[in-house]
Amino acid sequence: MPTIVSPSMLSANFANLRADMDMINRSEADWLHCDVMDGTFVPNISFGFPVMEAVRKICDKPLDVHFMITQPERYVTRTAKMGAMMMTVHYEACVHLNRTIHQIHEEGMRAGVALNPSTPVAMLEDVIEDADMVLLMSVNPGFGGQKFIESTIRRTHTLRRMIAESGSNTLIQVDGGVNGETAPRLVDAGVDVLVSGSYVFGAPNPVETISKLKSLLPAKRL
Ligand SMILES: O=C(CO)[C@H](O)[C@H](O)COP(=O)(O)O
């Protein structure tokens, strides 16, 4: 399975969103990662549907939407209507996670489940087969530009074993502090989808940085 790179829109320059989306369209990015924050689940507010609907019209890449909000199930239908490919919700924010995953599937999207850095990977044992992707947060969610939390490498190994034991094809995504140094180590540990924000958008040549991120990665298992 090839490694997927999904630049995080959280670090985009909103003063010129069209230029940022033109850059993403020209690049080897596979998806565009959208971070929705509500100021309650995380101590920050990002953007909502009007911005993502505008982006959807000018971005050629599939949208991978990460909801850092309470009760994300309220927005499943609207996210599908907006044209998202993947809807990721937090384990910590869903009382009925199994139901929410099925709602997402019923609306024709892929379902991701995100874990905060302090939530044990084992909490997902009983839903792993239903999830298309698990997002391991490698920073405490809420802000771009934070330092990578090292225990993510160990957590990736644990999750990779759990997925193998379940016999499922669930993808592993990591988000937070992903750069030229952490990316190869993450892929080596078993990550399939890399989300990178400030490393990409803060680079002098973001298109080249996305290509480098992909080419830096060790050859993946088949
Ligand atoms: O969503 C986040 C935090 O909530 C991520 O940190 C963000 O998507 C990526 O930012 P960076 O690559 O700068 O760490």
Side-chain angles (χ1 to χ4, degrees), residues 8 10-11 35 37 68 137 139 141-145 175-177 195-198:
S8 167
L10 186 63
S11 306
D35 288 302
M37 302 179 183
M68 284 165 267
M137 286 307 298
V139 295
F143 304 93
D175 178 12
V195 177
S196 185
S198 42

Side-chain angles (χ1 to χ4, degrees), residues 71-77 80 87 89 94 96-111:
Q71 299 176 282
E73 63 277 4
R74 293 172 292 167
Y75 300 108
V76 174
T77 303
M87 176 168 179
V89 297
C94 295
H96 302 288
L97 182 59
N98 181 287
R99 177 183 288 150
T100 304
I101 290 173
H102 288 293
Q103 275 179 309
I104 295 172
H105 284 154
E106 276 158 23
E107 292 285 359
M109 295 179 286
R110 296 198 189 167

Side-chain angles (χ1 to χ4, degrees), residues 32-55:
L32 176 66
H33 186 86
C34 301
D35 288 302
V36 181
M37 302 179 183
D38 64 356
T40 300
F41 183 71
V42 290
N44 197 8
I45 297 174
S46 58
F47 45 78
F49 286 102
V51 170
M52 289 194 288
E53 276 153 6
V55 163

